[in-house]
Amino acid sequence: MNKDTTEWLRTLIETISIPSGDIPNIELYMDQVTTFMDSRLASAKRYPEDKIMTKTMINNYTKNHLLPPPVKKKYSREHVFLLIIIYRLKNMLSITDIQTLLAPLEDHYFPKNEQNGLSLKDIYDTLFEESNQRHALIEEALLGEWEHSQKSFSSRSLSEEEKNYLSDFTFIYHLCYDIYVRKQMIEKLIDERIKQTEDGDKKRKKK
């Protein structure tokens, strides 16, 4: 990983975050929502023609109860908070798992919990701040993993082309393995939440 790649990594981590202050505090139509998401998360695209969020996606999220329906075809700031969270989760989790995670947010904090005063904005801001605090740790871990992968086959007599390929392969494999382990943990936590919810429903029915 050369200097340019390191700078790319730093830039990527920084630009995929959207502070709540940058989210319009007005109601938006569907086209305005997709334009906002597409422009602010453009750096996360793999290909220029990729779409961050489409009308079909948003309609499906509403249909599958990941997102409350718009009011008179307009989406609030809280809708955008949820869409950004969904965007972060959708490449890792199924629609069902995301719905399990987001249901309490929609039920209790959309837009605000009247009992404890905690709003969806408060939750989004906490996620944003804590994610930003993790940037340095993520960067350090990735750079360390890259350096380690460079040494994996250093004792072998290899051409420069073979060395570069195996370094990339090793680095990608280890990243995938980390994701696999984390995904297993995520799924177990979600399954436990489902079980707790089902047990709670059974107890309420008995009463």
Side-chain angles (χ1 to χ4, degrees), residues 7-50:
E7 288 303 316
W8 169 81
L9 172 61
R10 292 194 179 109
T11 302
L12 176 63
I13 292 174
E14 290 171 0
T15 56
I16 59 175
S17 299
I18 306 176
S20 61
D22 289 357
I23 298 172
N25 195 16
I26 57 173
E27 294 181 332
L28 303 173
Y29 287 106
M30 174 79 83
D31 286 342
Q32 294 172 308
V33 173
T34 56
T35 298
F36 175 80
M37 295 287 287
D38 206 53
S39 61
R40 289 307 306 266
L41 294 171
S43 62
K45 294 180 182 180
R46 184 174 184 181
Y47 304 110
E49 65 272 18
D50 288 347

Side-chain angles (χ1 to χ4, degrees), residues 102-134:
L102 296 190
L105 288 184
E106 295 179 29
D107 293 343
H108 304 297
Y109 305 104
F110 190 95
K112 181 179 180 178
N113 188 305
E114 296 300 331
Q115 292 183 328
N116 59 32
L118 189 65
S119 68
L120 188 58
K121 178 184 179 299
D122 295 328
I123 295 170
Y124 180 89
D125 284 340
T126 299
L127 293 174
F128 177 83
E129 291 167 11
E130 292 186 352
S131 294
N132 279 350
Q133 291 170 8
R134 290 178 55 80

Side-chain angles (χ1 to χ4, degrees), residues 4 11 37 73-74 86 95 105 108 111 114 124-125 142 144 150 152 170 177 181 186 203:
D4 289 340
T11 302
M37 295 287 287
K73 298 184 179 181
K74 288 186 176 182
I86 291 169
I95 291 291
L105 288 184
H108 304 297
E114 296 300 331
Y124 180 89
D125 284 340
L142 289 176
Q150 294 290 295
S152 296
T170 303
Y177 183 78
V181 173
I186 289 167
K203 288 179 181 178

Side-chain angles (χ1 to χ4, degrees), residues 70-160:
V71 178
K72 296 180 180 179
K73 298 184 179 181
K74 288 186 176 182
Y75 295 84
S76 67
R77 200 181 190 198
E78 285 73 25
H79 281 102
V80 179
F81 291 146
L82 285 178
L83 284 171
I84 294 170
I85 293 171
I86 291 169
Y87 175 76
R88 298 277 183 257
L89 300 177
K90 71 185 182 70
N91 289 326
M92 288 292 296
L93 302 178
S94 68
I95 291 291
T96 302
D97 284 345
I98 296 175
Q99 199 278 332
T100 299
L101 279 178
L102 296 190
L105 288 184
E106 295 179 29
D107 293 343
H108 304 297
Y109 305 104
F110 190 95
K112 181 179 180 178
N113 188 305
E114 296 300 331
Q115 292 183 328
N116 59 32
L118 189 65
S119 68
L120 188 58
K121 178 184 179 299
D122 295 328
I123 295 170
Y124 180 89
D125 284 340
T126 299
L127 293 174
F128 177 83
E129 291 167 11
E130 292 186 352
S131 294
N132 279 350
Q133 291 170 8
R134 290 178 55 80
H135 287 177
L137 295 174
I138 293 171
E139 182 182 314
E140 181 181 355
L142 289 176
L143 293 176
E145 190 65 60
W146 173 259
E147 290 173 2
H148 176 78
S149 69
Q150 294 290 295
K151 301 172 184 177
S152 296
F153 295 91
S154 58
S155 62
R156 304 285 184 172
S157 179
L158 301 170
S159 67
E160 195 65 25

